[in-house]
Amino acid sequence: MMTIPVHVPVLLQEVLEALVLPPAARILDLTLGLGGHAEALLARCDKASRYLGVDRDPEARYQARRRLGDDARLEILASAYEDLWEDPRFLAWKAEHAPGGFDAILADLGVSTLQLRTPDRGFSFRDEGPLDMRMDTTSGPTAVEWIAAQTDESLADAIYQYGEERASRPIARAILRAHREGRLATTRDLAEAVYTVIPREPAKRKGQSDPATRTFQAIRIAVNGELARLAASLEAAAGSLRPGGRLAVISFHSLEDRIVKQTLRRLAGIYDGPGRAAPAALPKTLKLIHPGGLAPSEAEAAANPPSRSARLRVAERLP
Ligand SMILES: C[S@@+](CC[C@H](N)C(=O)[O-])C[C@H]1O[C@@H](n2cnc3c(N)ncnc32)[C@H](O)[C@@H]1O
C-alpha cells in the first residue's frame, strides 16, 4: 500500500487559535497542499460546515483527497488562487454555501514538502531532477524554458529581485552560458552554474545556507508568478470574508511577508507610503489581530526546521 506523504503543517496551533470557527463554518483554504491544516480545521468543524480547498498542483489535490477521504464537507478546486475570484465554479460554490462570506480564509504560501522532496518536480538542488519547478505541472513554461527566454539582464534582475542575491549578474551569466553550451537540463546543472560563482564548500564549512538557495527561490518565484498577484488576491480574500471573519496568511520569506504585511496594513487603513497622508482617507476593511505577525515557537522551529522562516499574519473583517 502506498503511504500518503506528509507535510507538517506550520504554525498549526496558532492558525487554529486565530481562525475562530462558528457552527456551520464556511472555510476557504487557498493553498490546500497535502491537507495538513485542512485536516486539523475540519476536525474542529461540525457536520454542517463546508470547506473549499484550492490548489494549483494536481498531485497535491490528489494527495489531499487521499488524506482527507470522502469527507462530504470538503470540496477541492483546481485553480491558482489568483484566478479564483472571477471563476464561475468558485462564484457558484460561494453563492450556494457561503453567500454571506467566509468565516475563515487560510493562505499557506509557497511550496509543500511534497514538491520539494520529489526530485522529478525540479524544485530542489539537493536531488537531481529535471529543471521544471512548475507548481501546476499541466501548464506554463518549465524553469529551463523560462531561463532560455531570458537575457543576461532580465535573469539577473529576477535573481536579484526574487532571491535578494547580490551576485545576481555573474550568476545569471553563468546560467545562460551553461544553457548555451547544452549543460542546463537538471537541478544539479543549475546548482553547479551557481557554484562557479559562489563556491559551495566554503559556505558549507562556515555553516551558511547553500549558495544555490537564493537562485532557486528566485527562479521558482518567477516561473510560478508567485508574487505578481499576491496583493490583489489578499484584497479579494479580505472582500470575501463575512464581517468578523478572519484571514490568516503564512509566508516563508521576507519578500512574501513584506507584500502580506503591506497589503493587510493598507486594508486596515494604515498608510505606509512616502510623505504624509490622512489615514482616515484610506478605506478600512480589516483589523489587524497580531500587528507584528507570529513566528513559530522555538519548539516548532527545532522539531520542523523548514518552519523557521515562517510568519503568520492574521486580520479580521470589520463590520
Ligand atoms: C505550503 S503548501 C500548503 C500546505 C498545507 N497548508 C498543508 O498543511 O498541507 C503550499 C501549497 O500551495 C500551493 N500553491 C502555491 N501557490 C499557489 C497558487 N498561486 N494557487 C494555488 N495553489 C498554490 C502549492 O501547490 C502547495 O501545494
Side-chain angles (χ1 to χ4, degrees):
M1 202 179 83
M2 266 178 65
T3 52
I4 298 177
V6 174
H7 170 94
V8 182
V10 302
L11 289 156
L12 179 59
Q13 210 44 49
E14 291 80 355
V15 167
L16 294 175
E17 278 163 26
L19 297 179
V20 188
L21 301 176
R26 297 299 186 251
I27 304 170
L28 172 60
D29 186 339
L30 295 173
T31 52
L32 180 66
L34 302 189
H37 287 101
E39 186 172 51
L41 285 163
L42 278 165
R44 280 167 174 72
C45 285
D46 62 15
K47 274 195 179 151
S49 298
R50 291 285 179 277
Y51 198 105
L52 181 62
V54 177
D55 206 294
R56 71 198 298 192
D57 181 343
E59 180 66 16
R61 295 193 302 272
Y62 170 74
Q63 295 295 350
R65 182 47 89 186
R66 283 182 73 205
R67 173 181 209 160
L68 300 167
D70 52 8
D71 190 325
R73 298 170 300 174
L74 170 70
E75 176 135 354
I76 299 181
L77 198 64
S79 174
Y81 57 69
E82 296 89 342
D83 301 330
L84 190 67
W85 315 104
E86 303 292 321
D87 186 322
R89 296 169 304 164
F90 170 71
L91 295 173
W93 193 97
K94 187 167 175 287
E96 184 179 350
H97 298 292
F102 290 93
D103 299 293
I105 301 182
L106 173 65
D108 179 14
L109 305 172
V111 272
S112 70
T113 320
L114 173 73
Q115 290 163 335
L116 275 177
R117 299 244 175 98
T118 309
D120 274 359
R121 302 295 301 269
F123 283 104
S124 170
F125 48 79
R126 290 186 216 287
D127 310 287
E128 178 135 46
L131 202 45
D132 189 327
M133 295 200 198
R134 286 170 306 165
M135 288 187 187
D136 178 353
T137 43
T138 64
S139 72
T142 64
V144 77
E145 288 164 352
W146 180 83
I147 290 169
Q150 302 307 307
T151 61
D152 281 356
E153 199 172 40
S154 65
L155 182 56
D157 286 350
I159 294 173
Y160 183 74
Q161 197 188 342
Y162 299 142
E164 300 183 288
E165 170 61 72
R166 286 209 237 145
S168 57
R169 292 199 181 284
I171 289 176
R173 282 196 295 272
I175 293 172
L176 287 175
R177 193 179 316 120
H179 179 254
R180 278 193 302 274
E181 293 170 4
R183 293 181 285 107
L184 193 73
T186 70
T187 49
R188 187 66 49 77
D189 295 338
L190 178 61
E192 290 300 335
V194 177
Y195 302 149
T196 62
V197 179
I198 313 177
R200 186 180 185 201
E201 285 313 313
K204 211 171 165 183
R205 272 200 304 278
K206 288 185 215 157
Q208 295 168 342
S209 59
D210 190 292
T213 311
R214 292 184 293 275
T215 297
F216 269 69
Q217 173 183 302
I219 293 177
R220 190 200 88 208
I221 290 175
V223 165
N224 293 289
E226 282 179 44
L227 302 179
R229 289 184 288 153
L230 177 56
S233 292
L234 294 178
E235 192 159 348
S240 302
L241 288 168
R242 68 155 171 81
R246 285 189 173 184
L247 169 64
V249 188
I250 302 173
S251 61
F252 280 86
H253 51 81
S254 53
L255 290 172
E256 226 168 45
D257 185 52
R258 204 173 307 147
I259 296 175
V260 177
K261 176 177 150 185
Q262 287 172 353
T263 307
L264 297 188
R265 281 173 63 84
R266 180 167 51 77
L267 295 172
I270 304 166
Y271 180 74
D272 286 322
R276 281 208 244 145
L282 284 178
K284 244 182 171 182
T285 44
L286 294 179
K287 171 174 95 180
L288 302 181
I289 300 300
H290 300 290
L294 293 176
S297 64
E298 277 178 27
E300 177 172 5
N304 180 22
S307 74
R308 271 179 318 214
S309 55
R311 187 161 287 263
L312 170 67
R313 295 190 181 270
V314 183
E316 185 175 297
R317 175 79 191 254
L318 292 169

